Amino acid sequence: MSKAIQAVRGMNDLLPEVVERWQRIEAGARDVLHAYGYREIRLPILEKSELFARSIGSQTDIVEKEMYSFEDRHGENLTLRPEGTAGCVRAGIENGFLHNQIQRLWYAGPMFRHERPQKGRYRQFHQIGVEAFGIESADLDAELIFMCVRLWRALGFDGLTLQLNSLGTLECRAAYRRELVHYLETQRGKLDEDSLRRLDRNPLRILDSKNPAMQEIIAAAPDLFEHLDDASRAHFERLGDYLRQAGVAFTVNPRLVRGLDYYTRTVFEWTTDRLGAQSAVGAGGRYDGLVEQLGGRPTPAAGFAIGLERLAELLALQGGSHQGVRPHGYLVLLGEEAERQGLSLAERLRDAGLRIECNGGGGGLKTQLKRADRSGARHALLLGEDEVRNASITIKDLRDGAQRSIAQNELIDFLLGSNLKNKEDKATADERRR
Ligand code: ATP
Ligand code: MG
């Protein structure tokens, strides 16, 4: 046997059990997003590298060391997207759906960052992202946060913490940056290696250093809040009012700066204490300058992204069983004639809206019943020589083993009656029968 090939480091296979957990999150998210009038957009995974340098910022960790970039066969420099906002803005400008319009959009899919893989941190990971364009006021910022709150509630998560900050406009951030660098220069001897590297390139990032040795220096750093322009300050206070009014708890964290350059005014992050070091489950903020920066007309905007791997882990920790989609019946076929009739019987049942797994590849009664059990179906439907002769079918309830025989033409009603207690299933079945 030759050596088996393994997956790329940091890129995971999601097996069916895990996918079922993801689907629960995705379905919950879709309901919440639609409740707020957001519409799905689907965007390419590959973009021109320049897009990310111009939006996320050429001096950021993501662009400096985490991107999967390569030249294609024609020498064009391309990158596997590390996040979704840049591509969404690019698409908005290119398709002309941003200018003078209000757009509420969402997307979901894989993102790629060459980070050190560890629990909760992967090289291919998945986000649900939300972007809204054309609203400058803080009611939009509040709406984005309410959406998160509603999603956490739908998934049964409690104990998530909201941290909030304002970065002001690009101009007041630049003024603050000069003052911060001036202060940090006086502390140069005490800065760790990471901070020294960031000092010239991205000094604000030093503020969210996790190194305990840096905390004292950070605590004594000048306060970004004092540099906020009046309009940004009013915006932030307005948002605080909306949140208090809705009873949404938050902590103001003046050291929350986020790793992407495009943010202005509001930034926020949702964290949990249940996932260890990788504690952020979602983050976002306002990026009023980005559309113009990428060549569009000035358009205010804000958004957020949540990490599916981390949410799925939270859901798993929460326990409780969740059954994904299971077949209503497993068709056991015994003998040549049963096999011949079985395929078309299964089709008729599916026509009625039922989910049927049909035995494939033969096998004796015992083997087939074992497969039926493993399929998760509620009923095994046995078609053997006797049943073929009598146009009947034997139904075995796989939960209690009870067995009964009915006419084949009663089978659909029986299965619909016993399986479609679930409202949604019933609606689909009714639809098909009409
Ligand atoms: P972190 O501080 O954990 O590195 P981030 O600030 O880089 O997060 P964002 O770029 O804001 O994260 O992305 C939003 C969300 O996507 C994060 O809150 C997190 O849940 C998830 N996420 C980001 N990077 C990864 C990764 N490498 N693996 C898994 N999930 C990730
Ligand atoms: Mg990161």
Side-chain angles (χ1 to χ4, degrees):
M1 253 194 329
S2 57
K3 194 164 180 268
I5 296 175
Q6 300 196 320
V8 177
R9 192 161 124 82
M11 308 208 175
N12 301 315
D13 302 312
L14 298 176
L15 304 185
E17 293 78 9
V18 176
V19 170
E20 277 159 13
R21 202 173 298 131
W22 282 49
Q23 285 171 334
R24 206 171 125 198
I25 300 173
E26 287 159 358
R30 205 172 305 123
D31 286 350
V32 169
L33 293 159
H34 291 164
Y36 289 79
Y38 284 68
R39 295 166 70 205
E40 184 179 359
I41 183 167
R42 300 195 179 187
L43 303 161
I45 288 170
L46 269 183
E47 295 276 0
K48 294 182 181 165
S49 302
E50 188 197 351
L51 173 69
F52 302 111
R54 265 175 70 183
S55 53
I56 300 172
S58 55
Q59 320 268 290
T60 57
D61 283 356
I62 294 180
V63 173
E64 272 193 337
K65 25 178 228 201
E66 294 174 1
M67 294 207 307
Y68 280 89
S69 300
F70 60 94
E71 273 186 17
D72 76 358
R73 289 168 195 279
H74 297 284
E76 188 158 34
N77 217 313
L78 303 178
T79 295
L80 285 169
R81 63 181 184 193
E83 54 99 60
T85 305
C88 188
V89 170
R90 195 264 315 132
I93 298 169
E94 194 167 340
N95 295 285
F97 63 64
L98 297 184
H99 185 57
N100 269 342
Q101 295 180 50
I102 288 178
Q103 290 289 355
R104 290 178 158 94
L105 303 171
W106 68 275
Y107 48 82
M111 307 292 162
F112 302 83
R113 296 183 194 173
H114 198 277
E115 304 193 69
R116 191 169 67 79
Q118 51 198 293
K119 195 169 169 55
R121 191 173 296 286
Y122 309 102
R123 290 182 173 171
Q124 173 173 329
F125 62 99
H126 299 75
Q127 292 183 334
I128 294 178
V130 173
E131 318 288 350
F133 299 92
I135 302 173
E136 202 178 351
S137 46
D139 48 336
L140 173 64
D141 311 34
E143 173 175 292
L144 296 173
I145 289 170
F146 293 167
M147 286 164 80
C148 295
V149 173
R150 193 172 287 275
L151 177 61
W152 309 150
R153 208 189 307 142
L155 296 174
F157 295 162
D158 43 28
L160 295 190
T161 311
L162 173 62
Q163 300 196 40
L164 206 59
N165 192 20
S166 176
L167 300 177
T169 58
L170 294 176
E171 297 77 48
C172 63
R173 197 149 90 225
Y176 171 70
R177 183 189 153 122
R178 282 193 293 277
E179 188 168 325
L180 179 66
V181 170
H182 182 75
Y183 161 77
L184 290 170
E185 288 288 1
T186 67
Q187 307 291 316
R188 198 176 249 281
K190 296 185 220 154
L191 297 183
D192 65 6
E193 201 181 313
D194 244 4
S195 304
L196 281 173
R197 190 173 48 79
R198 285 173 168 156
L199 187 55
D200 303 323
R201 327 205 69 184
N202 198 356
L204 263 70
R205 273 297 260 181
I206 296 177
L207 295 179
D208 70 3
S209 161
K210 306 282 186 288
N211 182 354
M214 292 290 299
Q215 296 314 309
E216 203 176 314
I217 297 170
I218 292 169
D223 200 333
L224 175 56
F225 251 79
E226 282 159 23
H227 291 76
L228 285 190
D229 57 292
D230 290 346
S232 294
R233 201 181 293 260
H235 185 99
F236 192 65
E237 274 159 20
R238 181 67 62 88
L239 173 58
D241 280 347
Y242 288 138
L243 295 179
R244 274 185 293 270
Q245 205 174 340
V248 176
F250 62 93
T251 328
V252 176
N253 175 2
R255 307 293 181 221
L256 180 69
V257 294
R258 313 283 307 114
L260 306 91
D261 276 357
Y262 52 61
Y263 286 116
T264 50
R265 295 194 170 164
T266 313
V267 289
F268 62 87
E269 191 164 275
W270 287 96
T271 53
T272 170
D273 53 15
R274 304 183 63 190
L275 292 180
Q278 273 31 269
S279 60
V281 293
R286 189 163 268 288
Y287 50 93
D288 291 334
L290 184 59
V291 178
E292 197 179 2
Q293 200 176 310
L294 288 178
R297 309 222 205 154
T299 308
F304 67 85
I306 53 184
L308 284 174
E309 281 78 2
R310 295 185 193 174
L311 289 186
E313 186 59 32
L314 267 187
L315 207 55
L317 285 175
Q318 201 170 267
S321 70
H322 171 65
Q323 285 252 316
V325 179
R326 300 277 182 265
H328 296 122
Y330 185 99
L331 199 52
V332 171
L333 303 172
L334 300 162
E336 221 169 283
E337 189 51 32
E339 277 178 6
R340 190 168 301 129
Q341 293 185 12
L343 289 182
S344 49
L345 173 60
E347 289 304 323
R348 285 201 302 282
L349 298 177
R350 293 178 190 126
D351 286 345
L354 291 157
R355 292 191 294 270
I356 302 298
E357 189 170 329
C358 194
N359 187 68
L365 177 61
K366 223 170 133 194
T367 310
Q368 294 198 40
L369 280 177
K370 229 185 249 164
R371 291 178 190 152
D373 256 331
R374 213 172 300 141
S375 78
R378 161 89 187 273
H379 296 104
L381 315 170
L382 280 63
L383 193 63
E385 278 170 28
D386 285 351
E387 285 84 359
V388 165
R389 204 175 315 114
N390 308 328
S392 69
I393 190 135
T394 300
I395 299 170
K396 184 177 166 104
D397 188 324
L398 291 169
R399 291 184 309 186
D400 57 15
Q403 206 159 303
R404 62 195 288 190
S405 227
I406 63 172
Q408 279 179 27
N409 60 17
E410 291 167 1
L411 180 58
I412 288 177
D413 282 336
F414 172 85
L415 288 175
L416 288 176
S418 66
N419 281 301
L420 304 189
K421 304 258 155 52
N422 179 323
K423 258 202 262 158
E424 209 170 296
D425 277 0
K426 179 130 183 37
T428 327
D430 287 349
E431 181 90 357
R432 296 212 192 155
R433 279 208 283 192
R434 244 178 265 135

